[in-house]
Amino acid sequence: MTHPFLDLAPLSAARFAAIEDRVARLLGTRQDVVIMQGEALLPLEGAIRGTAGPGTTALNVITGPYGQTFGDWLRDCGATVIDLAVPFHTAVTADQIRAALAEHPEIDFVSLVHAEAATGNTNPVAEIGEVVRAHGALLYLDAVASIGAEPVLPDAWGVDLCVIGAQKAMGGPAGVSAVSVSERAWARMAANPRAPRRSYLSLLDWKARWIDGGRTALPHAPAQLEMLALEACVERIEGDGLEAVMGRHRTAALSTRAGAVALGGGLEPYVYDARDAAPVATTLRVPAGVVASEVVARALTSDPALPLAAGGGALAKEMIRVNHYGADATVGAVRGSLAALGSALAEQGLDVDVEGALRTVADSARH
């Protein structure tokens, strides 16, 4: 018995390099791009461990749970870490970054999440990148959730390490991920005696064995199915046009936000200012006395395939996530999600206007 996913010919180095080139074009970058053979946590951790050490002073921006994780990794590397935490319902500003750098001129590394799908906010990386570049620090960016939903431009923004994954807005596989690396970042790794070598976390191994060798021999067997899925994913985005893909996410986000307000029942956007709201996913705050996870569970009984989830950890009580990304970046997914949430809230005795919400979604989508 055979299967189309089995008995495939080995993925050649040339095919692997061609997929990297397509990812680089998606990012609009001339920097080296390495596709790593694991979920995005692999390059996220590898990039920090490659560049940070006891001599590093890092500004770690926390606008959600991933920022907290990056701070832990940096401290584990021996870096001095200055956390800049802002409420999860907002975004960090370039002025806040500028003030932190002025207060601590020794900062030489800045870690930042572009869009936090877990909290629904997005940070103004173009403005922040200008400030960080003027200071001379290295800029590390988690763009896993934002790529495909909004612009991600590492060269234009001065990002030295930009990590992406395909599993959210790109609508692709979770088993491979990529990082673009600037010359400054490579130099920082080369000078770091603690940078991983002969390790699955090592970006320097990829540079020495893959990039510097002209990308002719892969350092290890690639995750073949995931690489082919990534290739198909990027090809689909190229066919649709990146602007069109991002446009679907913007429309879904704006429609969800407007429709949730029209729905009523005490439901409101978790991220207060629409400018700070990420197009990859919309987070909603439930009214006092209502448990978000219970509302989501009730809503999913009507259709378990709806892109609804409660917030993680302590946020499970107060936050609902509408994950309108990838294949669910559609007005239909938004309508279904709000209708199901409306029914669930009505069951708890709250006054909702489902028809009004659906009309608002339709109006918002048209504009």
Side-chain angles (χ1 to χ4, degrees):
M1 180 178 179
T2 188
H3 189 281
F5 292 160
L6 300 175
D7 303 318
L8 297 173
L11 193 70
S12 68
R15 183 85 170 268
F16 194 104
I19 298 170
E20 280 186 338
D21 290 342
R22 294 176 88 161
V23 171
R25 288 196 295 272
L26 182 69
L27 289 168
T29 184
R30 294 182 177 273
Q31 298 176 3
D32 291 326
V33 170
V34 178
I35 297 179
M36 299 191 78
Q37 304 298 282
E39 199 267 342
L41 282 173
L42 175 62
L44 285 169
E45 182 175 358
I48 282 180
R49 295 197 182 277
T51 50
T56 303
T57 300
L59 177 65
N60 181 50
V61 182
I62 302 175
T63 57
Y66 279 102
Q68 295 170 329
T69 298
F70 301 158
D72 292 340
W73 286 338
L74 286 162
R75 290 183 178 90
D76 191 51
C77 291
T80 299
V81 181
I82 298 156
D83 286 325
L84 173 57
V86 303
F88 289 179
H89 61 258
T90 186
V92 72
T93 67
D95 285 342
Q96 288 173 306
I97 301 289
R98 185 180 292 107
L101 295 175
E103 185 177 354
H104 300 279
E106 69 276 18
I107 290 171
D108 58 3
F109 185 96
V110 177
S111 52
L112 175 70
V113 178
H114 188 186
E116 287 267 11
T119 49
N121 54 31
T122 192
N123 293 302
V125 183
E127 299 168 23
I128 291 169
E130 185 176 347
V131 172
V132 175
R133 186 166 55 245
H135 184 78
L138 214 65
L139 180 55
Y140 161 100
L141 184 69
D142 172 355
V144 174
S146 54
I147 183 68
E150 56 186 304
V152 177
L153 301 168
D155 290 13
W157 296 345
V159 179
D160 295 286
L161 294 156
C162 182
V163 177
I164 66 169
Q167 70 268 30
K168 287 189 166 65
M170 288 177 64
V176 288
S177 48
V179 54
S180 63
V181 187
S182 72
E183 289 299 326
R184 292 201 318 153
W186 283 131
R188 182 77 66 91
M189 288 185 220
N192 180 11
R194 292 197 176 190
R197 297 305 304 264
R198 296 168 296 281
S199 164
Y200 208 57
L201 285 170
S202 177
L203 283 166
L204 284 176
D205 287 356
W206 276 96
K207 186 175 192 306
R209 298 176 59 190
W210 173 243
I211 295 172
D212 292 348
R215 298 192 300 175
T216 58
L218 287 161
H220 51 72
Q224 187 169 355
L225 288 175
E226 287 80 1
M227 287 297 296
L228 294 174
L230 177 62
E231 181 182 50
C233 166
V234 175
E235 184 175 353
R236 183 173 61 188
I237 292 172
E238 291 171 347
D240 291 345
L242 181 57
E243 286 297 327
V245 175
M246 293 190 295
R248 289 198 292 268
H249 286 83
R250 284 194 299 270
T251 296
L254 293 171
S255 299
T256 302
R257 191 176 181 91
V261 172
L263 182 64
L267 205 62
E268 60 183 26
Y270 183 85
V271 177
Y272 293 169
D273 194 325
R275 293 175 301 176
D276 298 336
V280 68
T282 298
T283 49
L284 304 170
R285 190 186 304 273
V286 297
V290 174
V291 178
S293 58
E294 294 177 0
V295 174
V296 169
R298 286 173 181 262
L300 290 176
T301 59
S302 64
D303 183 357
L306 289 171
L308 294 171
L315 295 175
K317 293 183 178 180
E318 61 179 303
M319 179 195 287
I320 294 171
R321 289 169 48 190
V322 185
N323 295 317
H324 45 65
Y325 55 70
D328 288 316
T330 66
V331 174
V334 173
R335 286 173 55 87
S337 297
L338 291 178
L341 290 175
S343 297
L345 291 169
E347 288 179 23
Q348 298 200 19
L350 296 167
D351 186 17
V352 296
D353 181 5
V354 172
E355 291 303 318
L358 298 183
R359 285 194 302 272
T360 299
V361 168
D363 290 344
S364 179
R366 280 196 292 270
H367 294 93

